[in-house]
Amino acid sequence: MSDCSGSSSNFGRLLILLAMATLIGPNPSYGHNGAVAVAHPAQGIQIDGDLSDWPNDLKTYPIAQVEAGDKLAGKDDLGAHFRIAYDTREHALYVAVEAEDDSVVFDGPAEALWNTQDGCELYIDAAHAGGESLAIQYGRYGNQTQAFGPSDDLVKTVKVAVARTGRHVVYEWRVDLGSELRADRSIGFDVSVADKDEDGSFSWIAWGKGTQKLSLPDRCGEALLVSPETRFGEVAGQIEWRVPSQSPLPSRVRIQSSRNARLWREAIVDPTGVYKAALLPAGPYQVGPVDSAELRVDETSHVEVQVEADRIANAEPLQVTPIPWPGLIGSEGVLLDPDALNPSEIDRFVQAYVNYYKIPGISIAIIKDEKVAYHRAFGVKNTATQEPVTDDTVFEAASMTKPVLAYVVLRLVDRGILNLDTPLYTYLPYEDIAHDDRYKLITARMVLTHRTGFPNWRTGKLEIKSTPGTEFTYSGEGFVYLGKVVEHLTEKKLDAICQEEVFTPLGIEDAYLAWDERVARAYATGHRDTLPLPKNKVEAPNMAFSLHIDAQNYAKFLIATVQGKGLSEQTSKEMLRPQVQVPDQKRVSWGLGLSIRETAGRTSYGHGGKNPGFTSRSAYDKDRRWGYVFLINNESADEIENVLAAYLISGKSVLKPDQK
């Protein structure tokens, strides 16, 4: 799935960026999706859509993973494959993509190009530095070429020609990789084809598994740049703890050439500790464990192995050593002791776990007695610049934006401007879903309790997956529609409405719903683990994901919301009343825009968020008047929330034995 929509000035806008904007999601480790292609040298290739000047003996690779959008109607709907070559003299990587498509659409609108017409995308991590480099996305959408990544002039490094004969479409690419284009090495690589049909359906297929390949380079495959004479072998081995441990073993090992640091692969380790990797150029390698935020291990240990052509090389057992937890969590949470909230001790705790989980930066607030009792910022805005996070640094709150719209809606309900159970179409018809008459059932209550039947985000045209009001289906699309209704009823823009209804009356400063010069001065950069990602500069408010804020100001909002400030007593009770149970989560339900969690007889209200490169959490116990908010600029919120909740509330009894 493309990470990009529209022009490079609104990189990552709206739809695809937010396929990840869920409450909770896994933090992947560096690696690959398992797809491997072999690129051989070639000379004299002209980028003109005519492939007659390509070598005849290059292998073709199918592009067949249907990862997003509608299912293909059949083998005639879409089929595609590619071949790949390189020229070290020209510093050029060449890719020829051929598609058979029974319905070609090349004339979509200028905006939101990627899912409105046929297209082809390349993803290239040329440095392939193992967690220290970014992927670049090159896209050809209809008649336009675009490039997305850390630089604004990337489009200058790519040339693509498109040729169509009937249902046969050719995308011929040349990408200038500069000094990174060298033989006998590997690069991160993937390719996808987008198919918009005249009936309105849309499908997105890729060579390697996974979407979001730009912001998640480990979802790319890789290309081996070798000579035709290169011979390949395999490696097999096993890893084990140096000292017996109950912890699961690391999930990956890295197999790196002893001759060339840019020639490496990662192999998945099965639950018994066994790993295998094929298609390795013959030569000496080192095998070592892969450290990750989920399981910290000492990466200095390794074993040597010699790969021989057409044989399986069995490596010696690899013994690994875990990096121990910092500890620092008592038998009881510090919030239970009225005298135990020591700022210097909290500083020590937060810093220790930020270091342990390799989190670039965090903004954290702790609530006690209905007030923000502690607020600090740690780490850096950007690991490349090392600029420190400060108290006024704003982070992407992601889905923690949604309660802000819920609060606005309830303020309008109190004034009789909007009714929770009146179908939204009576206020404002929605052209995007007008093809399904069931949308006329959707109400504000259904949006706020995630029962619209919408998907989280569309990947083609917007569809209703279940009859509105019948099932819990977490959805950002519903909040987009409700935001449009609010703008229509108030005749004001969302940023002005939120300022008037939320931020100003609640005394919240430095809260922004779209990219502007104020955000530009104070924003934290998102990271994938410790790797900076390009900034998504959202040009207009989106009430599902676009809030930028720090933890202290969000904590002010959360306290006021749960305490019912600015709302009538009836409306406040309705907001906090459990209205829908989350499937497969007995202790989790939803009120109006807030998640409700029952833990050990305690009820907390809050929300979480996840955008590419950012995660956040908030929780507030109304009865005990305590809680927390934190925002971080990578995707390790699960780990931090686990230890933070234990430190503040539950104590170490809830942790695993080796985490205490």
Side-chain angles (χ1 to χ4, degrees), residues 23-192:
L23 281 176
I24 297 175
N27 182 34
S29 59
Y30 283 104
H32 307 96
N33 61 26
V36 183
V38 176
H40 287 160
Q43 297 176 2
I45 293 177
Q46 300 297 314
I47 304 303
D48 52 12
D50 180 357
L51 304 184
S52 61
D53 51 5
W54 278 67
N56 294 323
D57 57 351
L58 293 181
K59 182 178 179 179
T60 60
Y61 299 90
I63 305 172
Q65 301 283 343
V66 182
E67 295 285 351
D70 302 306
K71 293 182 179 180
L72 296 178
K75 62 181 181 180
D76 292 334
D77 189 354
L78 178 67
H81 61 267
F82 76 95
R83 42 189 151 151
I84 184 169
Y86 69 95
D87 187 341
T88 54
R89 297 183 309 171
E90 299 292 329
H91 306 293
L93 185 74
Y94 297 97
V95 183
V97 179
E98 297 180 78
E100 295 291 329
D101 186 358
D102 63 358
S103 178
V104 178
V105 177
F106 274 163
D107 55 356
E111 289 297 313
L113 286 169
W114 87 274
N115 64 340
T116 59
Q117 55 202 305
D118 285 10
C120 180
E121 296 165 333
L122 299 184
Y123 306 86
I124 299 176
D125 172 15
H128 200 46
E132 300 175 1
S133 55
L134 282 168
I136 294 170
Q137 176 179 318
Y138 299 97
R140 175 71 179 202
Y141 309 101
N143 300 313
Q144 297 190 41
T145 303
Q146 299 180 24
F148 308 90
S151 173
D152 292 333
D153 59 355
L154 289 169
V155 74
K156 297 178 182 178
T157 65
V158 65
K159 184 177 181 181
V160 57
V162 182
R164 176 189 176 191
T165 304
R167 64 190 306 270
H168 184 75
V169 182
V170 172
Y171 299 88
E172 187 176 23
W173 297 85
R174 179 192 188 278
V175 183
D176 185 348
L177 298 186
S179 61
E180 298 292 358
L181 198 290
R182 302 189 298 275
D184 300 318
R185 60 158 302 179
S186 53
I187 63 172
F189 174 81
D190 221 303
V191 57
S192 67

Side-chain angles (χ1 to χ4, degrees), residues 290-326:
V290 177
D291 185 33
S292 68
E294 296 90 344
L295 181 63
R296 298 297 314 280
V297 294
D298 182 355
E299 289 187 299
T300 60
S301 60
H302 65 272
V303 294
E304 308 280 346
V305 63
Q306 180 73 30
V307 174
E308 298 181 9
D310 305 316
R311 296 185 63 183
I312 299 176
N314 292 301
E316 294 293 325
L318 173 63
Q319 294 188 329
V320 295
T321 303
I323 296 175
W325 270 42

